[in-house]
Every structure is written in structure tokens, then in C-alpha cells.
């Protein structure tokens, strides 16, 4: 797997975090896959913390920097769970089909991929954070 970072001011800790998270999620050794993580000033007029899009080969993650750094990493945890969902084929690239079932009319809170990402984002953050590095 290839991971590329754009515009992060804390590259080393972010790289360690992502490496740990990918290993924990069991997707660190996927061949011919790519994740691009971009940090931007804000998303959706300051309302959103992160976005994720992708397919079984490539995932693009965008993280808003108008939140504290640790919250950015927690958001990155959430989005990396979506990366696993894309790479495994559980979630389609249109964000409408989950494990073969159509959820195109489901509200955000009812989408099973969001339920799963919200459920495990804190656990992934705690497991992936490089606690021995100064922030």
C-alpha cells in the first residue's frame, strides 16, 4: 500500500499514526492500493471534520485543520475505517451499497458504514496513536 500526505504540519506523527492504524485494521499490506490524505483549512464551511471517497484500489481522505490536532487524528481514524470498507468491497464507491444492500435512501445516521465508523473510531484512535511521541 502506498500512502501520500498533503499539507500536514505534523507529518511524522501523522505517518506513525496512519501506519499503526492500517496495521491494526489489517490493511497495511494490500498490494496495488493507495491512500491520499489531504489536510485543508476547513470543509463544508467549517462544519465537517473529514471526508472520504474511494473504491477497492484508491481512497482519498480529506481532514479539516480548523479543529485541534488530536481531533484531526480521531477524524482520520473514522475515515481510515471507511478506507478499510472500500478496500474490502463492503462499501461501494457511490456510498450507497453496503455489503450488497442498497442504502441510497438512508439518512446519514442510519448508514451502516457510518454506524461502524462511529462505533470504532475511538478504539482505533487509542490503538493507533503513537503515545511515546511528543505532540
Amino acid at each position: 500500500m502506498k500512502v501520500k500526505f498533503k499539507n500536514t504540519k505534523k507529518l511524522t506523527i501523522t505517518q506513525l499514526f496512519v501506519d499503526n492504524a492500517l496495521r491494526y485494521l489489517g490493511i497495511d499490506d494490500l498490494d496495488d492500493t493507495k491512500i491520499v490524505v489531504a489536510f485543508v483549512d476547513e470543509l463544508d464551511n467549517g462544519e465537517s471534520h473529514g471526508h472520504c471517497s474511494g473504491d477497492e484500489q484508491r481512497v482519498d481522505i480529506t481532514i479539516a485543520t480548523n479543529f485541534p490536532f488530536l481531533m484531526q487524528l480521531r477524524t482520520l481514524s473514522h475515515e481510515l475505517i471507511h478506507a478499510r470498507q472500500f478496500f474490502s468491497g463492503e462499501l461501494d464507491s457511490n456510498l450507497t451499497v453496503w455489503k450488497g444492500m442498497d442504502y441510497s435512501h438512508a439518512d446519514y445516521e442510519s448508514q451502516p458504514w457510518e454506524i461502524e465508523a462511529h462505533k470504532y473510531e475511538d478504539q482505533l484512535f487509542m490503538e493507533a496513536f503513537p503515545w511515546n511521541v511528543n505532540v
Side-chain angles (χ1 to χ4, degrees), residues 1-2 27 29-35 52-60 82-94 97 99-100:
M1 173 175 307
K2 182 177 180 182
I27 59 172
D29 61 350
L30 295 178
D31 293 331
D32 301 322
T33 58
K34 182 177 184 179
I35 297 176
C52 186
S53 61
D55 55 35
E56 292 182 33
Q57 308 292 275
R58 178 188 168 121
V59 170
D60 292 288
H82 290 318
R84 185 200 51 76
Q85 294 166 343
F86 283 121
F87 290 147
S88 69
E90 292 176 326
L91 180 58
D92 79 322
S93 61
N94 294 321
V97 177
K99 297 182 179 181

Side-chain angles (χ1 to χ4, degrees), residues 14-34:
T14 304
Q15 286 175 318
L16 287 169
F17 180 81
V18 169
D19 289 346
N20 291 342
L22 295 177
R23 192 169 29 262
Y24 184 79
L25 290 168
I27 59 172
D28 59 319
D29 61 350
L30 295 178
D31 293 331
D32 301 322
T33 58
K34 182 177 184 179

Side-chain angles (χ1 to χ4, degrees), residues 16 31 37 52 65 67 94-95 120:
L16 287 169
D31 293 331
V37 181
C52 186
T65 60
F67 299 97
N94 294 321
L95 301 173
Y120 294 110

Side-chain angles (χ1 to χ4, degrees), residues 34-49:
K34 182 177 184 179
I35 297 176
V36 177
V37 181
F39 291 82
V40 297
D41 291 339
E42 67 176 35
L43 291 166
D44 303 322
N45 296 317
E47 297 295 318
S48 294
H49 292 245

Side-chain angles (χ1 to χ4, degrees), residues 6 10 39 77 90 107:
K6 297 179 179 179
K10 298 186 183 225
F39 291 82
S77 295
E90 292 176 326
D107 294 335

